[in-house]
Amino acid sequence: MKRKRNIYIMYAIALLQGMVFYGPIATLYRQAQGVSVLQITIIESISLALCLLLEFPWGVLADKIGYRKTMIICNLLYFISKIVFWQASGFAMFLLERILISIVISGLSGVDTALLYLSCNQDDERKRESQQVFGVYNSLQEAGLLIAAFVFSVAVKDNYELSALLTVVSYGIAALCSFGIVTVEGRREDSADTQEAFSFSGIFSFLRQTLKDKSLLLFLVGVALFNETHQIITVFLNQLQYVKCGLSDAAIGYIYILVTIAGLCGFLSSKLTERIGAARTAAVLFAAAAMSCAVLAFTANPLCSVLGMLILRVSFSLLQPLQTEMQNRRITTSNRATALSINAVILDSVGIGTNLVFGALAEYSLAGALLFGVLLCAVGGILYLRNTSK
């Protein structure tokens, strides 16, 4: 019962934190407050760099103090970051908001999925159930976005300040939900592994083990290239694409709803994998993402643009549970959050560079930035498929 309770609470948190009411106009919101697209990507890169520095210490700390306490601390900081965003104006304040989010993301990284993974059924059933749970978890985040986008389009519209305030409320409720999480078995705070992780020799042992695993490294790079392409295009460049097509803020909001609905397909990831296999699933999704970026780069047609965004979002939503399950499956240490944090460091390292390139290209040519997405998806797919664990 305790395990199931955790899963349901995490589902509620995912739904609430998905309710980013300013999501449909995230870039336009920042631009209205005096921040350029290049500055936005610079802030994102700084944020990723900070995540990189904090990932490993946070992972070790989470294994020491427990996943429950980590979730509570991070979700409270998440709530505070949304208050800062609500009051932000100019580069400095939005940078402060991202710094707070970097602390949160690095703290939650690996902890939320580890908590869900350990809350699933044990032994032979865990693998299949965990991918299903990850799929539902990701889909509920999309459902939160959907609710927020609907409210934005129907009620908020061009009231940017109200969209930020409503986001503050949803994140505040999510922070309160964190207190209902219970400690799960499958880890020991006083275990030899945990004590070793806190020693310098333990830290370097973790790092050496990961860095020597060439297959894992290249697999993570492939994942990172795909994830960052999806993040930059569907969160920031999408609005620029829609504006290029002559669409209004209200229309952008309705399109955001449609794209968010498409993202709810994550729960189908396990069924797709069972049907055609993990390798074929990944190959199809990487190819589809690359194709969507190409479509977006060469069109100013609203319908084609929406279709491209839909394909990119669906591809990401279906691949996310699969790659999350694969990362967790490879972990043998009891310090699961620590190991996942090392993975996240690699993902963030790749993202720092790609974000800056995306921003610089977008300032010069939106089509150039989208073509860069094609390249990243193609290279990412090759690395992912060549280095996937059997």
Side-chain angles (χ1 to χ4, degrees), residues 159-174:
N159 191 338
Y160 288 6
E161 184 177 359
L162 177 59
S163 69
L165 176 59
L166 291 174
T167 304
V168 170
V169 174
S170 64
Y171 273 69
I173 298 173

Side-chain angles (χ1 to χ4, degrees), residues 26-27 30-31 34-50 91 94-95 97-98 102 228-229 231-238 240 348 350-366 369-370 372:
T27 299
R30 290 171 170 86
Q31 287 180 322
V35 182
S36 70
V37 176
L38 180 58
Q39 286 177 322
I40 290 172
T41 54
I42 289 174
I43 290 173
E44 287 293 304
S45 292
I46 293 173
S47 175
L48 284 175
L50 186 56
F91 180 85
F94 282 105
L95 176 60
E97 180 253 350
R98 291 305 300 180
S102 298
E228 293 305 318
T229 298
Q231 169 72 8
I232 293 297
I233 293 178
T234 63
V235 175
F236 299 112
L237 301 187
N238 59 340
L240 302 181
D348 292 342
V350 175
I352 292 172
T354 57
N355 283 351
L356 289 174
V357 175
F358 266 120
L361 288 174
E363 286 283 297
Y364 176 74
S365 168
L366 179 59
L370 294 169
F372 182 59

Side-chain angles (χ1 to χ4, degrees), residues 14 35 55 104 116 130 172 180 201 213 227 236 339 388:
V35 182
E55 280 284 359
V104 171
L116 285 170
S130 65
S201 61
D213 191 342
N227 290 353
F236 299 112
T388 298

Side-chain angles (χ1 to χ4, degrees), residues 56-57 60 193-213 335 338-339 342:
F56 191 72
V60 174
D193 283 345
T194 302
Q195 296 302 321
E196 180 187 1
F198 270 87
S199 67
F200 284 109
S201 61
I203 291 174
F204 286 114
S205 175
F206 271 115
L207 288 172
R208 283 196 303 269
Q209 183 179 357
T210 302
L211 294 175
K212 286 182 179 179
D213 191 342
N335 298 302
T338 304
I342 294 176

Side-chain angles (χ1 to χ4, degrees), residues 149-166:
F150 180 78
V151 172
F152 173 85
S153 298
V154 173
V156 177
K157 297 182 179 178
D158 59 350
N159 191 338
Y160 288 6
E161 184 177 359
L162 177 59
S163 69
L165 176 59
L166 291 174

